[in-house]
Structures are given as C-alpha cells and as structure tokens.
Amino acid sequence: MDLFQMVHGSIRWFVLIVAVVAVVKFAIGLVRGESFTSRDRALMGAFTGFVDLNVLLGIILWLLYGLLYGSWALYRIEHGVMMLIAVGFMHGTSKWRKQTDSKLQFRNSIIVIAVTFGLILMGVLRLPQGWAGF
C-alpha cells in the first residue's frame, strides 16, 4: 500500500511539469498564431492521462484505506471529491477540444489546464501534509 501511496504522491509532479510545459507551449502558439497540431493534442492528452491515472490510484487507495483499515477520514473524502470535480471539469470540456480554430484550441486548452490544476491544488491542500507530503 505504501508503494501505491508513493506513486500516487509522485504523479502530481508529472501533472505539474506537463501542465507548465503545456501552458507555456500553448501560450506561445496562441501569441504566434500557430496551428494546433497533433503534438499539441498529445501534450493535452499527456496532462489528461496523468490526471486520470492519479485519480484511479487515488480511488484504489481510498478504498484500501477504508476497507482494510476502516479509515474514512473526512480530509480523504474532501480530497477525493475535489479531485473528481477536477476530472469532471477536465473531461466535460471535450467539446472545446473539437474546435477547428487553432486560436480557440490554444486558449481553451490553457483554460482547461489552469482550472483543472487549480481544483487539483485545492484538493491537495485538503490533505494534512498538503503539497509537501505523499
């Protein structure tokens, strides 16, 4: 279980790195008037994939802690609910991603990443150790 928790805690750094890289790349593309390419879609897909993977691991951990140890701590529930809201927002905007206008794709992708990451940050701050721990 410690391995699951360590991996779950470590993936947030990949989420952060991909989010920063994507926002910088998308901002440059927006300012320069570039086309939204398959590379950009892959970068957005990487962000989505890391967030989804971490939520899946989080659900597994939540169930393990609850079922094995009877630990249904309120902060874990709050953290999980906030993460589910973040994922719901991230996936709920899939219609935005089908835009054909590159400017809108860059802008909307930046918005999705910023709001999703903001929700993730709020969820992580619900944990006793906050952003500092696993």
Side-chain angles (χ1 to χ4, degrees), residues 31-44:
V31 169
R32 290 185 180 169
E34 297 173 354
S35 295
F36 198 83
T37 64
S38 59
R39 275 184 145 172
D40 299 318
R41 279 187 277 290
L43 192 53
M44 193 64 186

Side-chain angles (χ1 to χ4, degrees), residues 19-134:
V20 168
V21 168
V23 166
V24 168
K25 167 67 174 87
F26 295 162
I28 291 170
L30 182 63
V31 169
R32 290 185 180 169
E34 297 173 354
S35 295
F36 198 83
T37 64
S38 59
R39 275 184 145 172
D40 299 318
R41 279 187 277 290
L43 192 53
M44 193 64 186
F47 176 74
T48 302
F50 279 124
V51 172
D52 286 345
L53 174 62
N54 219 21
V55 167
L56 177 63
L57 290 173
I59 290 169
I60 292 168
L61 275 169
W62 185 73
L63 289 172
L64 287 173
Y65 274 113
L67 297 173
L68 295 178
Y69 301 116
S71 178
W72 303 100
L74 182 60
Y75 69 86
R76 286 192 180 118
I77 294 169
E78 292 171 344
H79 172 73
V81 167
M82 187 58 71
M83 294 305 149
L84 290 174
I85 291 169
V87 168
F89 175 80
M90 183 177 61
H91 286 287
T93 60
S94 60
K95 290 182 182 181
W96 284 5
R97 295 182 197 148
K98 295 179 182 177
Q99 293 284 335
T100 55
D101 183 358
S102 289
K103 198 172 198 175
L104 289 176
Q105 286 177 313
F106 283 126
R107 184 202 68 189
N108 293 345
S109 296
I110 291 169
I111 291 169
V112 168
I113 291 170
V115 171
T116 301
F117 194 78
L119 291 167
I120 289 169
L121 183 60
M122 288 178 6
V124 170
L125 292 177
R126 295 302 312 142
L127 298 172
Q129 69 275 16
W131 193 262
F134 283 110

